[in-house]
Amino acid sequence: MALRGARRRRALVLAGWALPVLALSALAIVALGLGRYAVPPGDVFAVLAAKLFGWPSGADATVETVVLRVRLPRVAAALVVGAALAAAGATYQGLFRNPLVSPDILGVSAGASLGAVLGIFLSLPVAAIQGLAFAGGLGAVACVYAVGAAVRRHDPVLTLVLAGVAIGAVLGAAISLIKVLADPYNQLPAITYWLLGSLASVTIGDVGAILPAIVLGLVPLVLLRWRMNLMSLGEEEARALGVETRALRPLLIMAATLVTAAAVSVTGVIGWIGLLVPHVARLLVGPDFRRLLPASLMLGAGYLLAVDSVARTLASVEVPLGILTALIGAPFFLWLLASGRRGWA
């Protein structure tokens, strides 16, 4: 009886994860067919199967070009970036014990923005702009941690948050200065468009370039997911249970920062995903980080993919992702403030 019950539980767990994966796959196939040149889901599946397994697709060259070269890179980027930002948001919210925390709380988005804006201002190639954005995100968090290490008289978590706000304000001022100095006809529109976030210019090479950094950042989060549950209890409680918070917190923060910086470096700033998705995942599967992390990954991937599909089909001109995520996220944020509950963790 015990063996039969264990098998039944395993089957239920597999079914519980198989359904979201199938739903995400179906959403990806639908997204590959959406656009000005509509492609039926059957043709999309045939093109993908022909690419993966060498089967004859029966589709013409135009359909294959649209699916594989135009839409597949941005669909893959939406899945990877959405999952990365949601995982980072879940980590930050657990570490800071606050459901209103997002991945840019420590200035990573502002640092990445400054790096990219500087690259555009200097008329650097796209690869250099992405590299500066990545380095800027990591550098901003390094500055925040340096300030936190220098100020030891206050609570370390509060110090990090306040330092992140202060350094983010300084970086925002630097971005504004560059926008004032930029060429208003060529550079300024490019800077503004990058700051609003978009997947329009992402290539499959960009996805391959950021994927190693994102995987490298996710590995510690997956391996230490059970300790994240203890970290969310608070500093003193986690230490009482044998967790060395002084070593673990920087490791988890740097892992989440690496994931965020890599994602933002190729898509621009896409806000609210790291705030909304982990909270929705927590409502669905609970606060246990062992379930919260994979749920956030899948929900984040699906959410950004759905928003990107709306962005490129809503109007004749593609709507930047930052605008849509803000229109959805701001009302949710206000509702979250109004109906916040104690004991969310």
mmCIF file of all heavy atoms in Angstrom, residues 98-153:
data_model
loop_
_atom_site.group_PDB
_atom_site.id
_atom_site.type_symbol
_atom_site.label_atom_id
_atom_site.label_comp_id
_atom_site.label_asym_id
_atom_site.label_seq_id
_atom_site.Cartn_x
_atom_site.Cartn_y
_atom_site.Cartn_z
ATOM 1 N N ASN A 98 10.047 40.319 1.399
ATOM 2 C CA ASN A 98 9.122 41.373 1.008
ATOM 3 C C ASN A 98 8.571 41.059 -0.371
ATOM 4 O O ASN A 98 9.335 40.973 -1.336
ATOM 5 C CB ASN A 98 9.842 42.728 0.993
ATOM 6 C CG ASN A 98 8.885 43.895 0.861
ATOM 7 O OD1 ASN A 98 7.795 43.770 0.316
ATOM 8 N ND2 ASN A 98 9.293 45.037 1.365
ATOM 9 N N PRO A 99 7.251 40.892 -0.517
ATOM 10 C CA PRO A 99 6.689 40.566 -1.833
ATOM 11 C C PRO A 99 6.662 41.732 -2.795
ATOM 12 O O PRO A 99 6.301 41.562 -3.955
ATOM 13 C CB PRO A 99 5.259 40.108 -1.491
ATOM 14 C CG PRO A 99 4.935 40.869 -0.246
ATOM 15 C CD PRO A 99 6.209 40.965 0.530
ATOM 16 N N LEU A 100 7.050 42.920 -2.338
ATOM 17 C CA LEU A 100 7.053 44.093 -3.204
ATOM 18 C C LEU A 100 8.434 44.412 -3.748
ATOM 19 O O LEU A 100 8.650 45.463 -4.333
ATOM 20 C CB LEU A 100 6.505 45.301 -2.437
ATOM 21 C CG LEU A 100 5.106 45.114 -1.861
ATOM 22 C CD1 LEU A 100 4.666 46.362 -1.128
ATOM 23 C CD2 LEU A 100 4.109 44.752 -2.949
ATOM 24 N N VAL A 101 9.375 43.504 -3.564
ATOM 25 C CA VAL A 101 10.742 43.682 -4.060
ATOM 26 C C VAL A 101 10.837 43.118 -5.477
ATOM 27 O O VAL A 101 10.245 42.083 -5.784
ATOM 28 C CB VAL A 101 11.743 42.981 -3.122
ATOM 29 C CG1 VAL A 101 13.118 42.894 -3.758
ATOM 30 C CG2 VAL A 101 11.820 43.730 -1.797
ATOM 31 N N SER A 102 11.591 43.796 -6.335
ATOM 32 C CA SER A 102 11.796 43.350 -7.711
ATOM 33 C C SER A 102 13.288 43.258 -7.992
ATOM 34 O O SER A 102 14.102 43.739 -7.199
ATOM 35 C CB SER A 102 11.111 44.319 -8.683
ATOM 36 O OG SER A 102 11.644 45.613 -8.549
ATOM 37 N N PRO A 103 13.703 42.652 -9.115
ATOM 38 C CA PRO A 103 15.136 42.466 -9.389
ATOM 39 C C PRO A 103 15.949 43.743 -9.484
ATOM 40 O O PRO A 103 17.167 43.695 -9.354
ATOM 41 C CB PRO A 103 15.130 41.727 -10.738
ATOM 42 C CG PRO A 103 13.838 41.006 -10.754
ATOM 43 C CD PRO A 103 12.871 41.914 -10.068
ATOM 44 N N ASP A 104 15.306 44.895 -9.716
ATOM 45 C CA ASP A 104 16.080 46.128 -9.825
ATOM 46 C C ASP A 104 16.246 46.843 -8.491
ATOM 47 O O ASP A 104 16.687 47.990 -8.455
ATOM 48 C CB ASP A 104 15.433 47.071 -10.835
ATOM 49 C CG ASP A 104 13.983 47.375 -10.495
ATOM 50 O OD1 ASP A 104 13.475 46.829 -9.503
ATOM 51 O OD2 ASP A 104 13.358 48.159 -11.235
ATOM 52 N N ILE A 105 15.921 46.162 -7.376
ATOM 53 C CA ILE A 105 15.993 46.804 -6.067
ATOM 54 C C ILE A 105 17.424 47.196 -5.718
ATOM 55 O O ILE A 105 17.658 48.164 -4.987
ATOM 56 C CB ILE A 105 15.399 45.874 -4.981
ATOM 57 C CG1 ILE A 105 15.260 46.597 -3.639
ATOM 58 C CG2 ILE A 105 16.265 44.636 -4.810
ATOM 59 C CD1 ILE A 105 14.281 47.715 -3.644
ATOM 60 N N LEU A 106 18.422 46.459 -6.209
ATOM 61 C CA LEU A 106 19.811 46.756 -5.901
ATOM 62 C C LEU A 106 20.502 47.538 -7.019
ATOM 63 O O LEU A 106 21.725 47.626 -7.047
ATOM 64 C CB LEU A 106 20.586 45.468 -5.623
ATOM 65 C CG LEU A 106 20.113 44.652 -4.419
ATOM 66 C CD1 LEU A 106 21.007 43.441 -4.205
ATOM 67 C CD2 LEU A 106 20.068 45.504 -3.167
ATOM 68 N N GLY A 107 19.737 48.077 -7.937
ATOM 69 C CA GLY A 107 20.306 48.922 -8.976
ATOM 70 C C GLY A 107 20.797 48.199 -10.206
ATOM 71 O O GLY A 107 21.452 48.817 -11.050
ATOM 72 N N VAL A 108 20.477 46.896 -10.347
ATOM 73 C CA VAL A 108 21.012 46.158 -11.487
ATOM 74 C C VAL A 108 20.432 46.686 -12.797
ATOM 75 O O VAL A 108 21.164 46.841 -13.794
ATOM 76 C CB VAL A 108 20.743 44.645 -11.325
ATOM 77 C CG1 VAL A 108 19.274 44.346 -11.146
ATOM 78 C CG2 VAL A 108 21.312 43.868 -12.496
ATOM 79 N N SER A 109 19.140 47.003 -12.828
ATOM 80 C CA SER A 109 18.544 47.521 -14.064
ATOM 81 C C SER A 109 19.088 48.904 -14.398
ATOM 82 O O SER A 109 19.361 49.206 -15.570
ATOM 83 C CB SER A 109 17.018 47.578 -13.930
ATOM 84 O OG SER A 109 16.476 46.276 -13.791
ATOM 85 N N ALA A 110 19.270 49.747 -13.369
ATOM 86 C CA ALA A 110 19.820 51.081 -13.620
ATOM 87 C C ALA A 110 21.259 50.990 -14.107
ATOM 88 O O ALA A 110 21.665 51.738 -15.012
ATOM 89 C CB ALA A 110 19.741 51.920 -12.343
ATOM 90 N N GLY A 111 22.056 50.083 -13.537
ATOM 91 C CA GLY A 111 23.429 49.918 -13.990
ATOM 92 C C GLY A 111 23.506 49.406 -15.411
ATOM 93 O O GLY A 111 24.319 49.888 -16.221
ATOM 94 N N ALA A 112 22.656 48.422 -15.742
ATOM 95 C CA ALA A 112 22.629 47.915 -17.114
ATOM 96 C C ALA A 112 22.169 48.996 -18.085
ATOM 97 O O ALA A 112 22.692 49.111 -19.205
ATOM 98 C CB ALA A 112 21.715 46.691 -17.193
ATOM 99 N N SER A 113 21.209 49.797 -17.663
ATOM 100 C CA SER A 113 20.725 50.877 -18.524
ATOM 101 C C SER A 113 21.825 51.899 -18.792
ATOM 102 O O SER A 113 21.995 52.357 -19.925
ATOM 103 C CB SER A 113 19.523 51.561 -17.869
ATOM 104 O OG SER A 113 18.456 50.654 -17.703
ATOM 105 N N LEU A 114 22.565 52.251 -17.756
ATOM 106 C CA LEU A 114 23.645 53.213 -17.944
ATOM 107 C C LEU A 114 24.701 52.664 -18.899
ATOM 108 O O LEU A 114 25.199 53.394 -19.778
ATOM 109 C CB LEU A 114 24.281 53.557 -16.596
ATOM 110 C CG LEU A 114 25.463 54.531 -16.655
ATOM 111 C CD1 LEU A 114 25.047 55.849 -17.281
ATOM 112 C CD2 LEU A 114 26.041 54.759 -15.260
ATOM 113 N N GLY A 115 25.049 51.383 -18.758
ATOM 114 C CA GLY A 115 26.021 50.791 -19.667
ATOM 115 C C GLY A 115 25.550 50.814 -21.104
ATOM 116 O O GLY A 115 26.312 51.177 -22.018
ATOM 117 N N ALA A 116 24.299 50.444 -21.327
ATOM 118 C CA ALA A 116 23.772 50.434 -22.698
ATOM 119 C C ALA A 116 23.657 51.838 -23.261
ATOM 120 O O ALA A 116 23.988 52.088 -24.429
ATOM 121 C CB ALA A 116 22.411 49.744 -22.712
ATOM 122 N N VAL A 117 23.168 52.778 -22.449
ATOM 123 C CA VAL A 117 23.029 54.159 -22.904
ATOM 124 C C VAL A 117 24.396 54.738 -23.259
ATOM 125 O O VAL A 117 24.549 55.457 -24.264
ATOM 126 C CB VAL A 117 22.330 54.994 -21.821
ATOM 127 C CG1 VAL A 117 22.450 56.480 -22.122
ATOM 128 C CG2 VAL A 117 20.865 54.598 -21.719
ATOM 129 N N LEU A 118 25.404 54.435 -22.458
ATOM 130 C CA LEU A 118 26.756 54.906 -22.756
ATOM 131 C C LEU A 118 27.266 54.314 -24.068
ATOM 132 O O LEU A 118 27.895 55.001 -24.880
ATOM 133 C CB LEU A 118 27.697 54.543 -21.610
ATOM 134 C CG LEU A 118 29.152 55.028 -21.725
ATOM 135 C CD1 LEU A 118 29.194 56.549 -21.789
ATOM 136 C CD2 LEU A 118 29.978 54.512 -20.563
ATOM 137 N N GLY A 119 26.979 53.015 -24.295
ATOM 138 C CA GLY A 119 27.386 52.394 -25.546
ATOM 139 C C GLY A 119 26.704 53.009 -26.750
ATOM 140 O O GLY A 119 27.334 53.231 -27.798
ATOM 141 N N ILE A 120 25.417 53.324 -26.635
ATOM 142 C CA ILE A 120 24.704 53.977 -27.735
ATOM 143 C C ILE A 120 25.248 55.381 -27.963
ATOM 144 O O ILE A 120 25.410 55.832 -29.101
ATOM 145 C CB ILE A 120 23.192 54.012 -27.433
ATOM 146 C CG1 ILE A 120 22.627 52.583 -27.360
ATOM 147 C CG2 ILE A 120 22.449 54.817 -28.487
ATOM 148 C CD1 ILE A 120 21.183 52.517 -26.905
ATOM 149 N N PHE A 121 25.544 56.095 -26.869
ATOM 150 C CA PHE A 121 26.078 57.453 -26.983
ATOM 151 C C PHE A 121 27.428 57.471 -27.681
ATOM 152 O O PHE A 121 27.743 58.405 -28.434
ATOM 153 C CB PHE A 121 26.185 58.065 -25.587
ATOM 154 C CG PHE A 121 26.718 59.471 -25.566
ATOM 155 C CD1 PHE A 121 25.932 60.529 -25.996
ATOM 156 C CD2 PHE A 121 28.004 59.734 -25.117
ATOM 157 C CE1 PHE A 121 26.418 61.820 -25.979
ATOM 158 C CE2 PHE A 121 28.493 61.016 -25.097
ATOM 159 C CZ PHE A 121 27.710 62.075 -25.526
ATOM 160 N N LEU A 122 28.226 56.431 -27.449
ATOM 161 C CA LEU A 122 29.547 56.344 -28.071
ATOM 162 C C LEU A 122 29.503 55.685 -29.452
ATOM 163 O O LEU A 122 30.554 55.449 -30.056
ATOM 164 C CB LEU A 122 30.501 55.571 -27.164
ATOM 165 C CG LEU A 122 30.794 56.213 -25.794
ATOM 166 C CD1 LEU A 122 31.664 55.303 -24.948
ATOM 167 C CD2 LEU A 122 31.445 57.583 -25.966
ATOM 168 N N SER A 123 28.292 55.333 -29.927
ATOM 169 C CA SER A 123 28.096 54.717 -31.247
ATOM 170 C C SER A 123 28.864 53.403 -31.377
ATOM 171 O O SER A 123 29.468 53.110 -32.410
ATOM 172 C CB SER A 123 28.509 55.689 -32.363
ATOM 173 O OG SER A 123 27.749 56.871 -32.297
ATOM 174 N N LEU A 124 28.815 52.602 -30.322
ATOM 175 C CA LEU A 124 29.489 51.312 -30.333
ATOM 176 C C LEU A 124 28.628 50.266 -31.030
ATOM 177 O O LEU A 124 27.407 50.442 -31.160
ATOM 178 C CB LEU A 124 29.798 50.870 -28.900
ATOM 179 C CG LEU A 124 30.727 51.787 -28.091
ATOM 180 C CD1 LEU A 124 30.912 51.235 -26.680
ATOM 181 C CD2 LEU A 124 32.075 51.935 -28.782
ATOM 182 N N PRO A 125 29.210 49.147 -31.478
ATOM 183 C CA PRO A 125 28.407 48.078 -32.082
ATOM 184 C C PRO A 125 27.487 47.426 -31.061
ATOM 185 O O PRO A 125 27.647 47.597 -29.843
ATOM 186 C CB PRO A 125 29.459 47.091 -32.601
ATOM 187 C CG PRO A 125 30.703 47.413 -31.862
ATOM 188 C CD PRO A 125 30.661 48.871 -31.561
ATOM 189 N N VAL A 126 26.529 46.646 -31.563
ATOM 190 C CA VAL A 126 25.509 46.058 -30.701
ATOM 191 C C VAL A 126 26.127 45.151 -29.644
ATOM 192 O O VAL A 126 25.729 45.179 -28.472
ATOM 193 C CB VAL A 126 24.492 45.275 -31.562
ATOM 194 C CG1 VAL A 126 23.494 44.547 -30.666
ATOM 195 C CG2 VAL A 126 23.764 46.219 -32.507
ATOM 196 N N ALA A 127 27.118 44.349 -30.034
ATOM 197 C CA ALA A 127 27.747 43.438 -29.073
ATOM 198 C C ALA A 127 28.407 44.206 -27.931
ATOM 199 O O ALA A 127 28.342 43.801 -26.761
ATOM 200 C CB ALA A 127 28.774 42.550 -29.787
ATOM 201 N N ALA A 128 29.032 45.340 -28.247
ATOM 202 C CA ALA A 128 29.667 46.151 -27.205
ATOM 203 C C ALA A 128 28.623 46.789 -26.298
ATOM 204 O O ALA A 128 28.823 46.896 -25.076
ATOM 205 C CB ALA A 128 30.538 47.221 -27.849
ATOM 206 N N ILE A 129 27.493 47.209 -26.861
ATOM 207 C CA ILE A 129 26.418 47.782 -26.046
ATOM 208 C C ILE A 129 25.886 46.741 -25.069
ATOM 209 O O ILE A 129 25.663 47.029 -23.878
ATOM 210 C CB ILE A 129 25.298 48.314 -26.955
ATOM 211 C CG1 ILE A 129 25.796 49.503 -27.771
ATOM 212 C CG2 ILE A 129 24.070 48.704 -26.141
ATOM 213 C CD1 ILE A 129 24.811 49.990 -28.816
ATOM 214 N N GLN A 130 25.683 45.528 -25.554
ATOM 215 C CA GLN A 130 25.212 44.460 -24.674
ATOM 216 C C GLN A 130 26.244 44.135 -23.599
ATOM 217 O O GLN A 130 25.889 43.894 -22.439
ATOM 218 C CB GLN A 130 24.891 43.225 -25.508
ATOM 219 C CG GLN A 130 23.719 43.418 -26.461
ATOM 220 C CD GLN A 130 23.513 42.237 -27.380
ATOM 221 O OE1 GLN A 130 24.314 41.297 -27.398
ATOM 222 N NE2 GLN A 130 22.435 42.272 -28.153
ATOM 223 N N GLY A 131 27.516 44.131 -23.970
ATOM 224 C CA GLY A 131 28.559 43.868 -22.985
ATOM 225 C C GLY A 131 28.625 44.946 -21.925
ATOM 226 O O GLY A 131 28.782 44.646 -20.723
ATOM 227 N N LEU A 132 28.487 46.222 -22.322
ATOM 228 C CA LEU A 132 28.476 47.304 -21.347
ATOM 229 C C LEU A 132 27.258 47.219 -20.437
ATOM 230 O O LEU A 132 27.350 47.518 -19.235
ATOM 231 C CB LEU A 132 28.499 48.654 -22.072
ATOM 232 C CG LEU A 132 29.844 49.124 -22.625
ATOM 233 C CD1 LEU A 132 29.670 50.423 -23.394
ATOM 234 C CD2 LEU A 132 30.849 49.318 -21.494
ATOM 235 N N ALA A 133 26.118 46.834 -20.991
ATOM 236 C CA ALA A 133 24.922 46.685 -20.162
ATOM 237 C C ALA A 133 25.114 45.584 -19.126
ATOM 238 O O ALA A 133 24.756 45.742 -17.945
ATOM 239 C CB ALA A 133 23.706 46.382 -21.046
ATOM 240 N N PHE A 134 25.682 44.483 -19.541
ATOM 241 C CA PHE A 134 25.929 43.371 -18.622
ATOM 242 C C PHE A 134 26.901 43.794 -17.519
ATOM 243 O O PHE A 134 26.672 43.559 -16.330
ATOM 244 C CB PHE A 134 26.482 42.187 -19.406
ATOM 245 C CG PHE A 134 26.748 40.964 -18.576
ATOM 246 C CD1 PHE A 134 25.716 40.189 -18.102
ATOM 247 C CD2 PHE A 134 28.042 40.585 -18.271
ATOM 248 C CE1 PHE A 134 25.952 39.068 -17.343
ATOM 249 C CE2 PHE A 134 28.301 39.470 -17.512
ATOM 250 C CZ PHE A 134 27.247 38.702 -17.046
ATOM 251 N N ALA A 135 27.994 44.437 -17.926
ATOM 252 C CA ALA A 135 28.983 44.884 -16.943
ATOM 253 C C ALA A 135 28.410 45.962 -16.031
ATOM 254 O O ALA A 135 28.709 46.001 -14.829
ATOM 255 C CB ALA A 135 30.225 45.404 -17.670
ATOM 256 N N GLY A 136 27.566 46.840 -16.577
ATOM 257 C CA GLY A 136 26.965 47.882 -15.757
ATOM 258 C C GLY A 136 26.054 47.332 -14.685
ATOM 259 O O GLY A 136 26.046 47.831 -13.551
ATOM 260 N N GLY A 137 25.277 46.298 -15.013
ATOM 261 C CA GLY A 137 24.404 45.692 -14.011
ATOM 262 C C GLY A 137 25.191 45.063 -12.882
ATOM 263 O O GLY A 137 24.862 45.245 -11.691
ATOM 264 N N LEU A 138 26.229 44.321 -13.228
ATOM 265 C CA LEU A 138 27.058 43.700 -12.185
ATOM 266 C C LEU A 138 27.804 44.756 -11.381
ATOM 267 O O LEU A 138 27.938 44.639 -10.148
ATOM 268 C CB LEU A 138 28.042 42.726 -12.830
ATOM 269 C CG LEU A 138 27.451 41.511 -13.537
ATOM 270 C CD1 LEU A 138 28.565 40.640 -14.106
ATOM 271 C CD2 LEU A 138 26.586 40.697 -12.598
ATOM 272 N N GLY A 139 28.292 45.803 -12.058
ATOM 273 C CA GLY A 139 29.026 46.847 -11.353
ATOM 274 C C GLY A 139 28.163 47.612 -10.379
ATOM 275 O O GLY A 139 28.624 47.991 -9.286
ATOM 276 N N ALA A 140 26.908 47.852 -10.736
ATOM 277 C CA ALA A 140 26.013 48.572 -9.830
ATOM 278 C C ALA A 140 25.787 47.793 -8.540
ATOM 279 O O ALA A 140 25.830 48.361 -7.442
ATOM 280 C CB ALA A 140 24.674 48.832 -10.534
ATOM 281 N N VAL A 141 25.565 46.487 -8.659
ATOM 282 C CA VAL A 141 25.353 45.683 -7.459
ATOM 283 C C VAL A 141 26.637 45.577 -6.641
ATOM 284 O O VAL A 141 26.601 45.553 -5.407
ATOM 285 C CB VAL A 141 24.825 44.280 -7.847
ATOM 286 C CG1 VAL A 141 24.676 43.394 -6.619
ATOM 287 C CG2 VAL A 141 23.489 44.416 -8.548
ATOM 288 N N ALA A 142 27.779 45.543 -7.313
ATOM 289 C CA ALA A 142 29.050 45.534 -6.589
ATOM 290 C C ALA A 142 29.208 46.816 -5.768
ATOM 291 O O ALA A 142 29.672 46.777 -4.618
ATOM 292 C CB ALA A 142 30.215 45.374 -7.560
ATOM 293 N N CYS A 143 28.811 47.960 -6.328
ATOM 294 C CA CYS A 143 28.868 49.226 -5.581
ATOM 295 C C CYS A 143 27.912 49.205 -4.387
ATOM 296 O O CYS A 143 28.258 49.681 -3.293
ATOM 297 C CB CYS A 143 28.516 50.389 -6.505
ATOM 298 S SG CYS A 143 29.749 50.734 -7.783
ATOM 299 N N VAL A 144 26.733 48.649 -4.602
ATOM 300 C CA VAL A 144 25.777 48.555 -3.498
ATOM 301 C C VAL A 144 26.337 47.707 -2.367
ATOM 302 O O VAL A 144 26.237 48.060 -1.179
ATOM 303 C CB VAL A 144 24.435 47.980 -4.004
ATOM 304 C CG1 VAL A 144 23.509 47.653 -2.840
ATOM 305 C CG2 VAL A 144 23.765 48.955 -4.950
ATOM 306 N N TYR A 145 26.954 46.599 -2.714
ATOM 307 C CA TYR A 145 27.525 45.733 -1.689
ATOM 308 C C TYR A 145 28.714 46.385 -1.004
ATOM 309 O O TYR A 145 28.944 46.183 0.193
ATOM 310 C CB TYR A 145 27.925 44.379 -2.282
ATOM 311 C CG TYR A 145 27.123 43.263 -1.689
ATOM 312 C CD1 TYR A 145 25.975 42.799 -2.315
ATOM 313 C CD2 TYR A 145 27.483 42.698 -0.472
ATOM 314 C CE1 TYR A 145 25.226 41.795 -1.758
ATOM 315 C CE2 TYR A 145 26.737 41.699 0.096
ATOM 316 C CZ TYR A 145 25.606 41.252 -0.542
ATOM 317 O OH TYR A 145 24.851 40.271 0.027
ATOM 318 N N ALA A 146 29.488 47.170 -1.748
ATOM 319 C CA ALA A 146 30.601 47.878 -1.124
ATOM 320 C C ALA A 146 30.101 48.878 -0.089
ATOM 321 O O ALA A 146 30.671 49.007 1.003
ATOM 322 C CB ALA A 146 31.427 48.586 -2.199
ATOM 323 N N VAL A 147 29.013 49.578 -0.420
ATOM 324 C CA VAL A 147 28.421 50.507 0.549
ATOM 325 C C VAL A 147 27.882 49.746 1.750
ATOM 326 O O VAL A 147 28.068 50.156 2.909
ATOM 327 C CB VAL A 147 27.313 51.333 -0.120
ATOM 328 C CG1 VAL A 147 26.582 52.187 0.910
ATOM 329 C CG2 VAL A 147 27.890 52.211 -1.213
ATOM 330 N N GLY A 148 27.214 48.609 1.495
ATOM 331 C CA GLY A 148 26.689 47.820 2.594
ATOM 332 C C GLY A 148 27.776 47.286 3.509
ATOM 333 O O GLY A 148 27.597 47.205 4.730
ATOM 334 N N ALA A 149 28.915 46.922 2.925
ATOM 335 C CA ALA A 149 30.023 46.433 3.746
ATOM 336 C C ALA A 149 30.659 47.551 4.558
ATOM 337 O O ALA A 149 31.172 47.318 5.663
ATOM 338 C CB ALA A 149 31.072 45.774 2.853
ATOM 339 N N ALA A 150 30.633 48.780 4.030
ATOM 340 C CA ALA A 150 31.233 49.903 4.755
ATOM 341 C C ALA A 150 30.350 50.389 5.893
ATOM 342 O O ALA A 150 30.852 50.924 6.882
ATOM 343 C CB ALA A 150 31.511 51.054 3.786
ATOM 344 N N VAL A 151 29.031 50.214 5.757
ATOM 345 C CA VAL A 151 28.092 50.657 6.792
ATOM 346 C C VAL A 151 27.636 49.427 7.567
ATOM 347 O O VAL A 151 26.782 48.666 7.107
ATOM 348 C CB VAL A 151 26.885 51.392 6.174
ATOM 349 C CG1 VAL A 151 25.939 51.860 7.266
ATOM 350 C CG2 VAL A 151 27.357 52.561 5.330
ATOM 351 N N ARG A 152 28.168 49.227 8.736
ATOM 352 C CA ARG A 152 27.886 48.030 9.527
ATOM 353 C C ARG A 152 27.021 48.309 10.760
ATOM 354 O O ARG A 152 26.741 47.411 11.529
ATOM 355 C CB ARG A 152 29.201 47.379 9.980
ATOM 356 C CG ARG A 152 30.097 46.918 8.830
ATOM 357 C CD ARG A 152 31.383 46.306 9.345
ATOM 358 N NE ARG A 152 32.230 45.828 8.270
ATOM 359 C CZ ARG A 152 32.148 44.608 7.727
ATOM 360 N NH1 ARG A 152 31.252 43.753 8.208
ATOM 361 N NH2 ARG A 152 32.942 44.247 6.745
ATOM 362 N N ARG A 153 26.620 49.559 10.951
ATOM 363 C CA ARG A 153 25.914 49.893 12.187
ATOM 364 C C ARG A 153 24.425 49.601 12.101
ATOM 365 O O ARG A 153 23.737 49.631 13.112
ATOM 366 C CB ARG A 153 26.127 51.374 12.523
ATOM 367 C CG ARG A 153 27.563 51.716 12.889
ATOM 368 C CD ARG A 153 27.724 53.220 13.076
ATOM 369 N NE ARG A 153 27.514 53.919 11.810
ATOM 370 C CZ ARG A 153 27.505 55.245 11.689
ATOM 371 N NH1 ARG A 153 27.682 56.000 12.767
ATOM 372 N NH2 ARG A 153 27.325 55.810 10.514
#
